[in-house]
Amino acid sequence: MSRSAPIYLDYQATTPLDPNVRDAMLPFLEDRFGNPHSEHALGWDAAEAVEDARSAVAALIGSAPGEIVLTGGATEANNLSLLGSAKRTQRRKILVSAIEHKSVLAPAAVLAEQGFEVETIPVQADGTIDLECLAQLIQPDTALVSVMAANNEIGTLQPLQEIGALCTEVGALFHTDAAQLVGKLPIDVAAAGVDLLSLSAHKIYGPKGIGALYIAGPVRPQISPIIHGGGQQHGMRAGTLAPMLCAGLAAAAQKALAEQANDEAHTRSLKCRLIGRLKDGLPELKINGSEASSLSGCLNICIPGIDAHALLMTLQAEFAASVGSACNAGLIEPSYVLGAIGLSPDEASASLRLGFGRFTTIDDIDQAAALICEKAHRLSHTHAAE
Ligand code: PMP
């Protein structure tokens, strides 16, 4: 990234494309243009990219390649999980956590309109779900429980294994939106007791427009497709797949697996440094969510008395970050995630999310911390003078 570009601290919104991923994609814009579903040499060549994507994703999450359905992203994977499982169940209850991404909450709302009883699992101040509450809410009539693996605003990690065990007891399906976790921390779907897992390539240095849904082999008959057409992907998701995007997903997933430990060590040390610098400059700063159990590349901070949106707008030439979730950008309303962990609307509007990863440097972190501290001081003096 050129030095004149703003420092990029919005890795939860999307990650830069890894150069290896880009190189893997380019041949599909040129000679390898076949339709991966065609029965001839060019088609078979393109189909290789599709199979590579399934194998690489499977290796990353501990599944079999045949359990991976390629989708247009995590949004589609989440919709397929909720709407597709609801079509095939006699059960009437669906549980979702209070801090799910809108691509889970919106299909859940559609199901509520169709007569399903949709209930919200509350979260605690650190963002983890209240397991006791889940144990009470979950019933023999529960069709599906959807709890994200890692939150996109505060980075909190959820106790997947414990949730999986509760689901197994009543025979409910367990779906996890792992768009933010996959590729950053190891996950094994069988060990976690997950039946359905959503992920997205552009959160792991891959291209936008492709993701995947893991559907555990035994539960496949319980999921109905939501996109119908030419019967591709064994009828689970019709539509011609984009080999270029599949090649990108394959390369991104392979690199994520190879670099997971390095990336994690890198982001962990950056986070430690960023917290240190920010706390030195702004002793009143608070960290939102869990310090102990969260993504190392995500830091959500509250600077009491500051309008975080105004702060980011005045710094937009220098660095890019978000308040709340990027998918709500444009709508300046307090984040429901921060509300769910107990922040007041004032505290939520004084909060910003800093996301960093593979390509973030120590210099980026030091510069961003200095800019935030300086601007926050200036803004608070302006307020004091008013
Ligand atoms: N779930 C989570 C947790 C996310 O962070 C995102 C991306 N903002 C999505 C789902 C949607 O992913 P996609 O952009 O691939 O549709």
Side-chain angles (χ1 to χ4, degrees), residues 12-14 71-78 99-104 148 150-153 177-181 198-203 208-211 325-327 353:
Q12 276 69 49
T14 196
T71 64
T75 297
E76 186 192 327
N78 288 341
I99 59 170
E100 291 305 303
H101 191 263
K102 292 229 166 138
S103 55
V104 166
M148 69 204 317
N151 183 266
N152 47 303
E153 289 189 46
D177 172 355
Q180 295 290 345
L181 179 99
S198 307
L199 61 92
S200 178
H202 75 96
K203 310 292 184 180
K208 291 158 194 64
I210 186 164
S325 101
C327 306
R353 176 185 73 181

PDB file of all heavy atoms in Angstrom, residues 12-14 71-78 99-104 148 150-153 177-181 198-203 208-211 325-327 353, ligand 1:
ATOM      1  N   GLN A  12     -11.676  -5.502  10.020  1.00  0.00           N
ATOM      2  CA  GLN A  12     -12.912  -6.273  10.203  1.00  0.00           C
ATOM      3  C   GLN A  12     -13.881  -6.002   9.049  1.00  0.00           C
ATOM      4  O   GLN A  12     -14.693  -6.857   8.711  1.00  0.00           O
ATOM      5  CB  GLN A  12     -13.591  -5.955  11.544  1.00  0.00           C
ATOM      6  CG  GLN A  12     -13.039  -6.741  12.717  1.00  0.00           C
ATOM      7  CD  GLN A  12     -11.643  -6.319  13.077  1.00  0.00           C
ATOM      8  OE1 GLN A  12     -11.372  -5.134  13.216  1.00  0.00           O
ATOM      9  NE2 GLN A  12     -10.743  -7.279  13.208  1.00  0.00           N
ATOM     10  N   ALA A  13     -13.819  -4.809   8.473  1.00  0.00           N
ATOM     11  CA  ALA A  13     -14.686  -4.501   7.331  1.00  0.00           C
ATOM     12  C   ALA A  13     -14.243  -5.299   6.116  1.00  0.00           C
ATOM     13  O   ALA A  13     -15.037  -5.946   5.446  1.00  0.00           O
ATOM     14  CB  ALA A  13     -14.656  -3.007   7.027  1.00  0.00           C
ATOM     15  N   THR A  14     -12.954  -5.243   5.855  1.00  0.00           N
ATOM     16  CA  THR A  14     -12.372  -6.069   4.794  1.00  0.00           C
ATOM     17  C   THR A  14     -10.859  -6.012   4.918  1.00  0.00           C
ATOM     18  O   THR A  14     -10.309  -5.085   5.517  1.00  0.00           O
ATOM     19  CB  THR A  14     -12.824  -5.604   3.386  1.00  0.00           C
ATOM     20  OG1 THR A  14     -12.536  -6.660   2.447  1.00  0.00           O
ATOM     21  CG2 THR A  14     -12.155  -4.327   2.925  1.00  0.00           C
ATOM     22  N   THR A  71     -20.495 -19.983  -1.754  1.00  0.00           N
ATOM     23  CA  THR A  71     -21.577 -18.987  -1.791  1.00  0.00           C
ATOM     24  C   THR A  71     -21.010 -17.639  -2.245  1.00  0.00           C
ATOM     25  O   THR A  71     -19.805 -17.507  -2.443  1.00  0.00           O
ATOM     26  CB  THR A  71     -22.188 -18.800  -0.383  1.00  0.00           C
ATOM     27  OG1 THR A  71     -21.170 -18.257   0.475  1.00  0.00           O
ATOM     28  CG2 THR A  71     -22.692 -20.110   0.207  1.00  0.00           C
ATOM     29  N   GLY A  72     -21.884 -16.659  -2.303  1.00  0.00           N
ATOM     30  CA  GLY A  72     -21.438 -15.320  -2.677  1.00  0.00           C
ATOM     31  C   GLY A  72     -20.804 -14.558  -1.522  1.00  0.00           C
ATOM     32  O   GLY A  72     -20.436 -13.396  -1.678  1.00  0.00           O
ATOM     33  N   GLY A  73     -20.683 -15.176  -0.372  1.00  0.00           N
ATOM     34  CA  GLY A  73     -20.077 -14.522   0.793  1.00  0.00           C
ATOM     35  C   GLY A  73     -20.707 -15.051   2.069  1.00  0.00           C
ATOM     36  O   GLY A  73     -21.527 -15.991   2.021  1.00  0.00           O
ATOM     37  N   ALA A  74     -20.345 -14.446   3.180  1.00  0.00           N
ATOM     38  CA  ALA A  74     -20.901 -14.906   4.457  1.00  0.00           C
ATOM     39  C   ALA A  74     -22.374 -14.530   4.597  1.00  0.00           C
ATOM     40  O   ALA A  74     -23.147 -15.236   5.235  1.00  0.00           O
ATOM     41  CB  ALA A  74     -20.090 -14.337   5.619  1.00  0.00           C
ATOM     42  N   THR A  75     -22.778 -13.416   3.982  1.00  0.00           N
ATOM     43  CA  THR A  75     -24.193 -13.024   4.052  1.00  0.00           C
ATOM     44  C   THR A  75     -25.068 -14.137   3.473  1.00  0.00           C
ATOM     45  O   THR A  75     -26.062 -14.554   4.088  1.00  0.00           O
ATOM     46  CB  THR A  75     -24.425 -11.713   3.263  1.00  0.00           C
ATOM     47  OG1 THR A  75     -23.665 -10.674   3.892  1.00  0.00           O
ATOM     48  CG2 THR A  75     -25.889 -11.328   3.234  1.00  0.00           C
ATOM     49  N   GLU A  76     -24.682 -14.625   2.294  1.00  0.00           N
ATOM     50  CA  GLU A  76     -25.487 -15.697   1.675  1.00  0.00           C
ATOM     51  C   GLU A  76     -25.414 -16.976   2.509  1.00  0.00           C
ATOM     52  O   GLU A  76     -26.422 -17.683   2.670  1.00  0.00           O
ATOM     53  CB  GLU A  76     -25.001 -15.955   0.245  1.00  0.00           C
ATOM     54  CG  GLU A  76     -25.897 -16.954  -0.472  1.00  0.00           C
ATOM     55  CD  GLU A  76     -25.308 -17.463  -1.786  1.00  0.00           C
ATOM     56  OE1 GLU A  76     -24.588 -16.719  -2.483  1.00  0.00           O
ATOM     57  OE2 GLU A  76     -25.575 -18.636  -2.110  1.00  0.00           O
ATOM     58  N   ALA A  77     -24.238 -17.284   3.038  1.00  0.00           N
ATOM     59  CA  ALA A  77     -24.086 -18.497   3.855  1.00  0.00           C
ATOM     60  C   ALA A  77     -24.983 -18.415   5.099  1.00  0.00           C
ATOM     61  O   ALA A  77     -25.613 -19.411   5.495  1.00  0.00           O
ATOM     62  CB  ALA A  77     -22.618 -18.678   4.244  1.00  0.00           C
ATOM     63  N   ASN A  78     -25.064 -17.230   5.696  1.00  0.00           N
ATOM     64  CA  ASN A  78     -25.929 -17.061   6.871  1.00  0.00           C
ATOM     65  C   ASN A  78     -27.403 -17.211   6.490  1.00  0.00           C
ATOM     66  O   ASN A  78     -28.184 -17.859   7.202  1.00  0.00           O
ATOM     67  CB  ASN A  78     -25.688 -15.684   7.511  1.00  0.00           C
ATOM     68  CG  ASN A  78     -24.340 -15.614   8.221  1.00  0.00           C
ATOM     69  OD1 ASN A  78     -23.746 -16.642   8.538  1.00  0.00           O
ATOM     70  ND2 ASN A  78     -23.844 -14.416   8.466  1.00  0.00           N
ATOM     71  N   ILE A  99     -25.793 -10.111  19.528  1.00  0.00           N
ATOM     72  CA  ILE A  99     -24.754  -9.339  18.818  1.00  0.00           C
ATOM     73  C   ILE A  99     -24.412  -9.935  17.452  1.00  0.00           C
ATOM     74  O   ILE A  99     -23.339  -9.698  16.909  1.00  0.00           O
ATOM     75  CB  ILE A  99     -23.480  -9.182  19.680  1.00  0.00           C
ATOM     76  CG1 ILE A  99     -22.883 -10.541  20.052  1.00  0.00           C
ATOM     77  CG2 ILE A  99     -23.772  -8.355  20.931  1.00  0.00           C
ATOM     78  CD1 ILE A  99     -21.495 -10.449  20.685  1.00  0.00           C
ATOM     79  N   GLU A 100     -25.356 -10.728  16.904  1.00  0.00           N
ATOM     80  CA  GLU A 100     -25.116 -11.284  15.565  1.00  0.00           C
ATOM     81  C   GLU A 100     -25.015 -10.178  14.523  1.00  0.00           C
ATOM     82  O   GLU A 100     -25.593  -9.093  14.682  1.00  0.00           O
ATOM     83  CB  GLU A 100     -26.255 -12.235  15.178  1.00  0.00           C
ATOM     84  CG  GLU A 100     -26.302 -13.520  15.980  1.00  0.00           C
ATOM     85  CD  GLU A 100     -25.001 -14.293  15.946  1.00  0.00           C
ATOM     86  OE1 GLU A 100     -24.535 -14.635  14.848  1.00  0.00           O
ATOM     87  OE2 GLU A 100     -24.431 -14.537  17.026  1.00  0.00           O
ATOM     88  N   HIS A 101     -24.347 -10.491  13.441  1.00  0.00           N
ATOM     89  CA  HIS A 101     -24.298  -9.600  12.277  1.00  0.00           C
ATOM     90  C   HIS A 101     -25.709  -9.501  11.690  1.00  0.00           C
ATOM     91  O   HIS A 101     -26.510 -10.422  11.821  1.00  0.00           O
ATOM     92  CB  HIS A 101     -23.337 -10.224  11.250  1.00  0.00           C
ATOM     93  CG  HIS A 101     -22.981  -9.332  10.116  1.00  0.00           C
ATOM     94  ND1 HIS A 101     -23.626  -9.390   8.901  1.00  0.00           N
ATOM     95  CD2 HIS A 101     -22.041  -8.365   9.998  1.00  0.00           C
ATOM     96  CE1 HIS A 101     -23.090  -8.502   8.081  1.00  0.00           C
ATOM     97  NE2 HIS A 101     -22.129  -7.867   8.723  1.00  0.00           N
ATOM     98  N   LYS A 102     -25.965  -8.393  10.999  1.00  0.00           N
ATOM     99  CA  LYS A 102     -27.314  -8.216  10.420  1.00  0.00           C
ATOM    100  C   LYS A 102     -27.676  -9.310   9.422  1.00  0.00           C
ATOM    101  O   LYS A 102     -28.859  -9.573   9.193  1.00  0.00           O
ATOM    102  CB  LYS A 102     -27.415  -6.840   9.760  1.00  0.00           C
ATOM    103  CG  LYS A 102     -27.362  -5.723  10.796  1.00  0.00           C
ATOM    104  CD  LYS A 102     -28.459  -4.704  10.621  1.00  0.00           C
ATOM    105  CE  LYS A 102     -28.569  -3.827  11.851  1.00  0.00           C
ATOM    106  NZ  LYS A 102     -28.774  -2.425  11.551  1.00  0.00           N
ATOM    107  N   SER A 103     -26.680  -9.956   8.840  1.00  0.00           N
ATOM    108  CA  SER A 103     -26.984 -11.021   7.870  1.00  0.00           C
ATOM    109  C   SER A 103     -27.489 -12.290   8.554  1.00  0.00           C
ATOM    110  O   SER A 103     -27.896 -13.243   7.886  1.00  0.00           O
ATOM    111  CB  SER A 103     -25.769 -11.314   6.986  1.00  0.00           C
ATOM    112  OG  SER A 103     -24.641 -11.627   7.766  1.00  0.00           O
ATOM    113  N   VAL A 104     -27.471 -12.309   9.884  1.00  0.00           N
ATOM    114  CA  VAL A 104     -28.160 -13.358  10.660  1.00  0.00           C
ATOM    115  C   VAL A 104     -29.472 -12.782  11.201  1.00  0.00           C
ATOM    116  O   VAL A 104     -30.529 -13.418  11.118  1.00  0.00           O
ATOM    117  CB  VAL A 104     -27.273 -13.871  11.823  1.00  0.00           C
ATOM    118  CG1 VAL A 104     -28.091 -14.694  12.820  1.00  0.00           C
ATOM    119  CG2 VAL A 104     -26.122 -14.713  11.273  1.00  0.00           C
ATOM    120  N   MET A 148     -22.346 -16.312  16.662  1.00  0.00           N
ATOM    121  CA  MET A 148     -21.141 -16.061  15.886  1.00  0.00           C
ATOM    122  C   MET A 148     -19.880 -16.465  16.651  1.00  0.00           C
ATOM    123  O   MET A 148     -19.833 -16.403  17.882  1.00  0.00           O
ATOM    124  CB  MET A 148     -21.070 -14.597  15.477  1.00  0.00           C
ATOM    125  CG  MET A 148     -20.828 -13.656  16.618  1.00  0.00           C
ATOM    126  SD  MET A 148     -21.402 -11.949  16.310  1.00  0.00           S
ATOM    127  CE  MET A 148     -20.903 -11.614  14.648  1.00  0.00           C
ATOM    128  N   ALA A 150     -16.784 -15.080  16.392  1.00  0.00           N
ATOM    129  CA  ALA A 150     -16.078 -13.875  16.855  1.00  0.00           C
ATOM    130  C   ALA A 150     -16.850 -12.682  16.341  1.00  0.00           C
ATOM    131  O   ALA A 150     -17.284 -12.676  15.190  1.00  0.00           O
ATOM    132  CB  ALA A 150     -14.648 -13.845  16.324  1.00  0.00           C
ATOM    133  N   ASN A 151     -17.016 -11.691  17.199  1.00  0.00           N
ATOM    134  CA  ASN A 151     -17.831 -10.532  16.810  1.00  0.00           C
ATOM    135  C   ASN A 151     -17.030  -9.545  15.958  1.00  0.00           C
ATOM    136  O   ASN A 151     -15.844  -9.307  16.204  1.00  0.00           O
ATOM    137  CB  ASN A 151     -18.397  -9.853  18.060  1.00  0.00           C
ATOM    138  CG  ASN A 151     -19.291  -8.696  17.699  1.00  0.00           C
ATOM    139  OD1 ASN A 151     -18.851  -7.543  17.651  1.00  0.00           O
ATOM    140  ND2 ASN A 151     -20.538  -8.980  17.371  1.00  0.00           N
ATOM    141  N   ASN A 152     -17.718  -8.940  14.991  1.00  0.00           N
ATOM    142  CA  ASN A 152     -17.059  -8.032  14.056  1.00  0.00           C
ATOM    143  C   ASN A 152     -16.847  -6.631  14.610  1.00  0.00           C
ATOM    144  O   ASN A 152     -16.115  -5.847  14.033  1.00  0.00           O
ATOM    145  CB  ASN A 152     -17.874  -7.939  12.755  1.00  0.00           C
ATOM    146  CG  ASN A 152     -19.341  -7.721  13.005  1.00  0.00           C
ATOM    147  OD1 ASN A 152     -19.988  -8.520  13.691  1.00  0.00           O
ATOM    148  ND2 ASN A 152     -19.896  -6.652  12.491  1.00  0.00           N
ATOM    149  N   GLU A 153     -17.475  -6.289  15.728  1.00  0.00           N
ATOM    150  CA  GLU A 153     -17.260  -4.946  16.282  1.00  0.00           C
ATOM    151  C   GLU A 153     -16.328  -4.960  17.486  1.00  0.00           C
ATOM    152  O   GLU A 153     -15.513  -4.072  17.646  1.00  0.00           O
ATOM    153  CB  GLU A 153     -18.597  -4.320  16.695  1.00  0.00           C
ATOM    154  CG  GLU A 153     -19.448  -3.928  15.518  1.00  0.00           C
ATOM    155  CD  GLU A 153     -20.663  -3.117  15.931  1.00  0.00           C
ATOM    156  OE1 GLU A 153     -20.523  -2.184  16.730  1.00  0.00           O
ATOM    157  OE2 GLU A 153     -21.762  -3.452  15.460  1.00  0.00           O
ATOM    158  N   ASP A 177     -21.543 -18.097  12.617  1.00  0.00           N
ATOM    159  CA  ASP A 177     -21.010 -17.183  11.617  1.00  0.00           C
ATOM    160  C   ASP A 177     -19.552 -16.944  12.031  1.00  0.00           C
ATOM    161  O   ASP A 177     -19.275 -16.238  12.999  1.00  0.00           O
ATOM    162  CB  ASP A 177     -21.833 -15.885  11.661  1.00  0.00           C
ATOM    163  CG  ASP A 177     -21.248 -14.785  10.785  1.00  0.00           C
ATOM    164  OD1 ASP A 177     -20.163 -14.980  10.212  1.00  0.00           O
ATOM    165  OD2 ASP A 177     -21.887 -13.721  10.693  1.00  0.00           O
ATOM    166  N   ALA A 178     -18.652 -17.580  11.282  1.00  0.00           N
ATOM    167  CA  ALA A 178     -17.226 -17.515  11.654  1.00  0.00           C
ATOM    168  C   ALA A 178     -16.448 -16.621  10.702  1.00  0.00           C
ATOM    169  O   ALA A 178     -15.228 -16.756  10.568  1.00  0.00           O
ATOM    170  CB  ALA A 178     -16.641 -18.923  11.701  1.00  0.00           C
ATOM    171  N   ALA A 179     -17.147 -15.661  10.065  1.00  0.00           N
ATOM    172  CA  ALA A 179     -16.486 -14.787   9.085  1.00  0.00           C
ATOM    173  C   ALA A 179     -15.271 -14.083   9.685  1.00  0.00           C
ATOM    174  O   ALA A 179     -14.273 -13.876   9.013  1.00  0.00           O
ATOM    175  CB  ALA A 179     -17.481 -13.761   8.544  1.00  0.00           C
ATOM    176  N   GLN A 180     -15.364 -13.731  10.963  1.00  0.00           N
ATOM    177  CA  GLN A 180     -14.252 -12.986  11.579  1.00  0.00           C
ATOM    178  C   GLN A 180     -13.211 -13.893  12.232  1.00  0.00           C
ATOM    179  O   GLN A 180     -12.110 -13.447  12.536  1.00  0.00           O
ATOM    180  CB  GLN A 180     -14.789 -11.988  12.618  1.00  0.00           C
ATOM    181  CG  GLN A 180     -15.647 -10.877  12.022  1.00  0.00           C
ATOM    182  CD  GLN A 180     -14.861  -9.871  11.189  1.00  0.00           C
ATOM    183  OE1 GLN A 180     -13.631  -9.799  11.249  1.00  0.00           O
ATOM    184  NE2 GLN A 180     -15.564  -9.085  10.395  1.00  0.00           N
ATOM    185  N   LEU A 181     -13.563 -15.136  12.469  1.00  0.00           N
ATOM    186  CA  LEU A 181     -12.627 -16.020  13.193  1.00  0.00           C
ATOM    187  C   LEU A 181     -11.756 -16.854  12.256  1.00  0.00           C
ATOM    188  O   LEU A 181     -10.552 -17.030  12.491  1.00  0.00           O
ATOM    189  CB  LEU A 181     -13.412 -16.968  14.114  1.00  0.00           C
ATOM    190  CG  LEU A 181     -12.491 -17.929  14.867  1.00  0.00           C
ATOM    191  CD1 LEU A 181     -12.248 -17.414  16.278  1.00  0.00           C
ATOM    192  CD2 LEU A 181     -13.034 -19.331  14.916  1.00  0.00           C
ATOM    193  N   SER A 198     -20.348 -20.373   8.581  1.00  0.00           N
ATOM    194  CA  SER A 198     -20.236 -19.427   7.462  1.00  0.00           C
ATOM    195  C   SER A 198     -18.874 -18.745   7.493  1.00  0.00           C
ATOM    196  O   SER A 198     -18.364 -18.417   8.572  1.00  0.00           O
ATOM    197  CB  SER A 198     -21.287 -18.313   7.593  1.00  0.00           C
ATOM    198  OG  SER A 198     -22.567 -18.847   7.748  1.00  0.00           O
ATOM    199  N   LEU A 199     -18.337 -18.497   6.294  1.00  0.00           N
ATOM    200  CA  LEU A 199     -17.081 -17.733   6.217  1.00  0.00           C
ATOM    201  C   LEU A 199     -17.052 -16.920   4.931  1.00  0.00           C
ATOM    202  O   LEU A 199     -17.876 -17.132   4.035  1.00  0.00           O
ATOM    203  CB  LEU A 199     -15.872 -18.671   6.322  1.00  0.00           C
ATOM    204  CG  LEU A 199     -15.714 -19.749   5.252  1.00  0.00           C
ATOM    205  CD1 LEU A 199     -14.846 -19.250   4.113  1.00  0.00           C
ATOM    206  CD2 LEU A 199     -15.097 -21.000   5.855  1.00  0.00           C
ATOM    207  N   SER A 200     -16.090 -16.014   4.867  1.00  0.00           N
ATOM    208  CA  SER A 200     -16.020 -15.084   3.747  1.00  0.00           C
ATOM    209  C   SER A 200     -14.562 -14.863   3.336  1.00  0.00           C
ATOM    210  O   SER A 200     -13.700 -14.656   4.187  1.00  0.00           O
ATOM    211  CB  SER A 200     -16.622 -13.752   4.211  1.00  0.00           C
ATOM    212  OG  SER A 200     -16.541 -12.799   3.185  1.00  0.00           O
ATOM    213  N   ALA A 201     -14.304 -14.896   2.017  1.00  0.00           N
ATOM    214  CA  ALA A 201     -12.915 -14.770   1.545  1.00  0.00           C
ATOM    215  C   ALA A 201     -12.307 -13.402   1.839  1.00  0.00           C
ATOM    216  O   ALA A 201     -11.120 -13.291   2.131  1.00  0.00           O
ATOM    217  CB  ALA A 201     -12.851 -15.038   0.040  1.00  0.00           C
ATOM    218  N   HIS A 202     -13.143 -12.333   1.791  1.00  0.00           N
ATOM    219  CA  HIS A 202     -12.520 -11.007   1.887  1.00  0.00           C
ATOM    220  C   HIS A 202     -12.140 -10.622   3.305  1.00  0.00           C
ATOM    221  O   HIS A 202     -11.601  -9.539   3.537  1.00  0.00           O
ATOM    222  CB  HIS A 202     -13.379  -9.937   1.193  1.00  0.00           C
ATOM    223  CG  HIS A 202     -14.613  -9.486   1.911  1.00  0.00           C
ATOM    224  ND1 HIS A 202     -14.644  -8.363   2.697  1.00  0.00           N
ATOM    225  CD2 HIS A 202     -15.863  -9.992   1.944  1.00  0.00           C
ATOM    226  CE1 HIS A 202     -15.879  -8.182   3.167  1.00  0.00           C
ATOM    227  NE2 HIS A 202     -16.634  -9.166   2.735  1.00  0.00           N
ATOM    228  N   LYS A 203     -12.393 -11.518   4.261  1.00  0.00           N
ATOM    229  CA  LYS A 203     -11.912 -11.270   5.625  1.00  0.00           C
ATOM    230  C   LYS A 203     -10.562 -11.952   5.848  1.00  0.00           C
ATOM    231  O   LYS A 203      -9.950 -11.807   6.898  1.00  0.00           O
ATOM    232  CB  LYS A 203     -12.914 -11.796   6.662  1.00  0.00           C
ATOM    233  CG  LYS A 203     -14.355 -11.360   6.440  1.00  0.00           C
ATOM    234  CD  LYS A 203     -14.583  -9.872   6.654  1.00  0.00           C
ATOM    235  CE  LYS A 203     -16.066  -9.541   6.512  1.00  0.00           C
ATOM    236  NZ  LYS A 203     -16.359  -8.144   6.694  1.00  0.00           N
ATOM    237  N   LYS A 208     -13.581 -10.115  -2.557  1.00  0.00           N
ATOM    238  CA  LYS A 208     -14.984  -9.951  -2.163  1.00  0.00           C
ATOM    239  C   LYS A 208     -15.859 -10.728  -3.141  1.00  0.00           C
ATOM    240  O   LYS A 208     -15.489 -10.901  -4.293  1.00  0.00           O
ATOM    241  CB  LYS A 208     -15.362  -8.469  -2.181  1.00  0.00           C
ATOM    242  CG  LYS A 208     -14.670  -7.686  -1.078  1.00  0.00           C
ATOM    243  CD  LYS A 208     -14.607  -6.214  -1.402  1.00  0.00           C
ATOM    244  CE  LYS A 208     -13.634  -5.497  -0.484  1.00  0.00           C
ATOM    245  NZ  LYS A 208     -12.229  -5.938  -0.650  1.00  0.00           N
ATOM    246  N   GLY A 209     -17.009 -11.187  -2.652  1.00  0.00           N
ATOM    247  CA  GLY A 209     -17.965 -11.847  -3.553  1.00  0.00           C
ATOM    248  C   GLY A 209     -17.919 -13.355  -3.501  1.00  0.00           C
ATOM    249  O   GLY A 209     -18.577 -14.012  -4.309  1.00  0.00           O
ATOM    250  N   ILE A 210     -17.153 -13.920  -2.598  1.00  0.00           N
ATOM    251  CA  ILE A 210     -17.177 -15.384  -2.427  1.00  0.00           C
ATOM    252  C   ILE A 210     -16.992 -15.733  -0.950  1.00  0.00           C
ATOM    253  O   ILE A 210     -16.274 -15.053  -0.214  1.00  0.00           O
ATOM    254  CB  ILE A 210     -16.124 -16.111  -3.319  1.00  0.00           C
ATOM    255  CG1 ILE A 210     -16.323 -17.643  -3.200  1.00  0.00           C
ATOM    256  CG2 ILE A 210     -14.687 -15.702  -2.971  1.00  0.00           C
ATOM    257  CD1 ILE A 210     -15.633 -18.449  -4.278  1.00  0.00           C
ATOM    258  N   GLY A 211     -17.675 -16.768  -0.561  1.00  0.00           N
ATOM    259  CA  GLY A 211     -17.566 -17.292   0.795  1.00  0.00           C
ATOM    260  C   GLY A 211     -17.985 -18.734   0.759  1.00  0.00           C
ATOM    261  O   GLY A 211     -18.047 -19.342  -0.329  1.00  0.00           O
ATOM    262  N   SER A 325     -20.276  -0.962  13.191  1.00  0.00           N
ATOM    263  CA  SER A 325     -19.933  -1.885  12.132  1.00  0.00           C
ATOM    264  C   SER A 325     -20.035  -1.171  10.792  1.00  0.00           C
ATOM    265  O   SER A 325     -20.897  -0.322  10.588  1.00  0.00           O
ATOM    266  CB  SER A 325     -20.833  -3.113  12.177  1.00  0.00           C
ATOM    267  OG  SER A 325     -21.819  -3.012  11.211  1.00  0.00           O
ATOM    268  N   ALA A 326     -19.130  -1.526   9.884  1.00  0.00           N
ATOM    269  CA  ALA A 326     -19.082  -0.859   8.584  1.00  0.00           C
ATOM    270  C   ALA A 326     -20.379  -1.040   7.820  1.00  0.00           C
ATOM    271  O   ALA A 326     -20.759  -0.196   7.038  1.00  0.00           O
ATOM    272  CB  ALA A 326     -17.925  -1.396   7.768  1.00  0.00           C
ATOM    273  N   CYS A 327     -21.053  -2.181   8.058  1.00  0.00           N
ATOM    274  CA  CYS A 327     -22.280  -2.454   7.309  1.00  0.00           C
ATOM    275  C   CYS A 327     -23.389  -1.488   7.707  1.00  0.00           C
ATOM    276  O   CYS A 327     -24.400  -1.411   7.040  1.00  0.00           O
ATOM    277  CB  CYS A 327     -22.712  -3.894   7.527  1.00  0.00           C
ATOM    278  SG  CYS A 327     -21.407  -5.036   7.160  1.00  0.00           S
ATOM    279  N   ARG A 353     -13.673   1.434  16.433  1.00  0.00           N
ATOM    280  CA  ARG A 353     -13.090   0.100  16.236  1.00  0.00           C
ATOM    281  C   ARG A 353     -11.821   0.221  15.401  1.00  0.00           C
ATOM    282  O   ARG A 353     -11.835   0.831  14.329  1.00  0.00           O
ATOM    283  CB  ARG A 353     -14.103  -0.765  15.496  1.00  0.00           C
ATOM    284  CG  ARG A 353     -13.582  -2.141  15.137  1.00  0.00           C
ATOM    285  CD  ARG A 353     -14.581  -2.906  14.310  1.00  0.00           C
ATOM    286  NE  ARG A 353     -14.670  -2.410  12.941  1.00  0.00           N
ATOM    287  CZ  ARG A 353     -15.484  -2.906  12.022  1.00  0.00           C
ATOM    288  NH1 ARG A 353     -16.299  -3.891  12.320  1.00  0.00           N
ATOM    289  NH2 ARG A 353     -15.500  -2.414  10.795  1.00  0.00           N
TER     290      ARG A 353
HETATM  291  N1  PMP B   1     -20.744 -11.865   9.255  1.00  0.00           N
HETATM  292  C1  PMP B   1     -19.799 -11.129   9.846  1.00  0.00           C
HETATM  293  C2  PMP B   1     -19.463 -11.400  11.269  1.00  0.00           C
HETATM  294  C3  PMP B   1     -19.150 -10.132   9.136  1.00  0.00           C
HETATM  295  O1  PMP B   1     -18.228  -9.388   9.741  1.00  0.00           O
HETATM  296  C4  PMP B   1     -19.506  -9.911   7.787  1.00  0.00           C
HETATM  297  C5  PMP B   1     -18.838  -8.815   6.988  1.00  0.00           C
HETATM  298  N2  PMP B   1     -19.078  -7.516   7.492  1.00  0.00           N
HETATM  299  C6  PMP B   1     -20.488 -10.710   7.217  1.00  0.00           C
HETATM  300  C7  PMP B   1     -21.087 -11.684   7.981  1.00  0.00           C
HETATM  301  C8  PMP B   1     -20.905 -10.539   5.795  1.00  0.00           C
HETATM  302  O2  PMP B   1     -19.921 -11.092   4.958  1.00  0.00           O
HETATM  303  P1  PMP B   1     -19.926 -10.855   3.376  1.00  0.00           P
HETATM  304  O3  PMP B   1     -19.397  -9.489   3.173  1.00  0.00           O
HETATM  305  O4  PMP B   1     -19.017 -11.922   2.847  1.00  0.00           O
HETATM  306  O5  PMP B   1     -21.310 -11.042   2.898  1.00  0.00           O
END
